Amino acid sequence: MAAESGLEIGGDMLEDSGDLALDESETDFDRIRSAAAAAASDGARPIFLGGDHMVTYPVVSGLATVHDAINILHFDAHPDLYDDFGGDRLSHASPFARIMEEGLAKRLVQVG
């Protein structure tokens, strides 16, 4: 497989690390953060697919441990910047509030 420019895009360019086993416990956050940091620590540019908004904050937290604060382009109809939703500061409506509070992002651009 090659791009029009001749660049080979075979197996040496993409590697599927598989699914991250989660058990919906309090340890999931640290498990996701550690996996994101590990994926970025060897110079790779990881792509994370799947999950709901619960994974956004720990993924960004893990990436920031390797790269410091990052820039984020967020495609969504909602900014997900609530301080909390129903009393839950880690709800699906709040990941970017936590990310910005902790300085994990230099810039957050919302498109949607």
Side-chain angles (χ1 to χ4, degrees):
M1 290 183 7
E4 289 179 16
S5 68
L7 175 70
E8 294 294 326
I9 56 174
D12 61 333
M13 191 169 173
L14 298 173
E15 177 183 326
D16 184 351
S17 295
D19 296 339
L20 182 62
L22 303 175
D23 57 16
E24 297 186 29
S25 72
E26 292 182 13
T27 62
D28 282 351
F29 185 94
D30 287 329
R31 190 173 297 137
I32 296 166
R33 178 177 36 211
S34 295
S41 67
D42 65 1
R45 293 188 176 132
I47 298 172
F48 301 91
L49 301 173
D52 62 11
H53 291 303
M54 182 274 172
V55 304
T56 306
Y57 174 32
V59 163
V60 171
S61 180
L63 294 176
T65 64
V66 175
H67 299 293
D68 296 318
I70 61 174
N71 292 307
I72 298 172
L73 178 58
H74 179 220
F75 292 92
D76 197 323
H78 310 98
D80 302 329
L81 283 165
Y82 279 77
D83 184 49
D84 70 71
F85 187 76
D88 182 2
R89 291 179 51 83
L90 297 178
S91 85
H92 66 281
S94 305
F96 291 107
R98 305 293 79 79
I99 288 166
M100 299 310 287
E101 282 174 354
E102 291 188 24
L104 302 175
K106 289 184 269 188
R107 188 164 181 222
L108 171 62
V109 176
Q110 168 74 30
V111 179

